[in-house]
Amino acid sequence: MTARPFRRTLPPTARARRAAGAAAALTAAALLLAGCGGADSTGSTGHSGHGATSTPAPSASASASADPGKEARNAADTAFAQGMIPHHRQAIAMAGLARERAGSAEVKALAAAIEKEQGPEIATLTGWLTAWGERVPAEEPGGHDGHEGGHAMAGMMSGAEMDRLERASGQAFDRAFLELMVRHHQGAVEMARTELAEGVHRPARKLAESVVASQSAEITRMRKLLAEG
């Protein structure tokens, strides 16, 4: 007679426990697979709507680079730009005379700084007026136009004063240039302070702050040169 291999028979209670364990393992595997399948092809998780594709908000740098010509403005901003352009043009015309007629190296250096500073500001102001659809003041030869809109602007030289400056040279030119430019700068500072009090265009107000700071410092410098004789 052939011997049968010995096979252990588990009691009914043990078999029930083993079956329950296998079922629990299958359930856990199914849950794991379901969780892995929640991500879509874009790599989103699908939880609380995070899987939806969204357009990112503009960055701070992108917002800062917005066209300044499109920012809020008012009549005071327009008046500031239209007044400061011919004012700066005359200052540059006066500074240009110093290259040939000034006797002092310090006066020549000051005049060069005025040209370097105010030339780009004219371009900026012109750009704003163009963007706003406003009139850009016509350029007068030699900076002789001391009026804008029929009114004399603060600190501007008359045609006669510009003619006298053109005829001067050496020390006489230096003193006349410094005296006239102090008055001219004071007028620009006054215009800039009006913009700060009444204007709303942020870039224009920022330029006005720069005018007040730089030209006030130059007034102090010119008065010192006048005092030194």
Side-chain angles (χ1 to χ4, degrees), residues 52-141:
T53 302
S54 61
T55 302
S59 65
S61 59
S63 300
S65 63
D67 182 2
K70 295 180 180 179
E71 292 198 21
R73 63 182 176 89
N74 63 12
D77 300 312
T78 300
F80 171 69
Q82 289 178 333
M84 195 60 76
I85 286 174
H87 208 277
H88 275 13
R89 284 173 180 162
Q90 189 177 70
I92 289 174
M94 294 169 67
L97 294 174
R99 287 196 299 268
E100 300 293 332
R101 299 182 176 279
S104 165
E106 291 178 307
V107 170
K108 288 185 177 182
L110 173 67
I114 290 171
E115 288 187 275
K116 182 178 180 180
E117 176 183 88
Q118 297 192 21
E121 289 179 354
I122 290 175
T124 297
L125 293 160
T126 299
W128 291 342
L129 290 173
T130 301
W132 299 341
E134 300 285 355
R135 178 183 57 83
V136 176
E139 186 168 2
E140 294 292 329

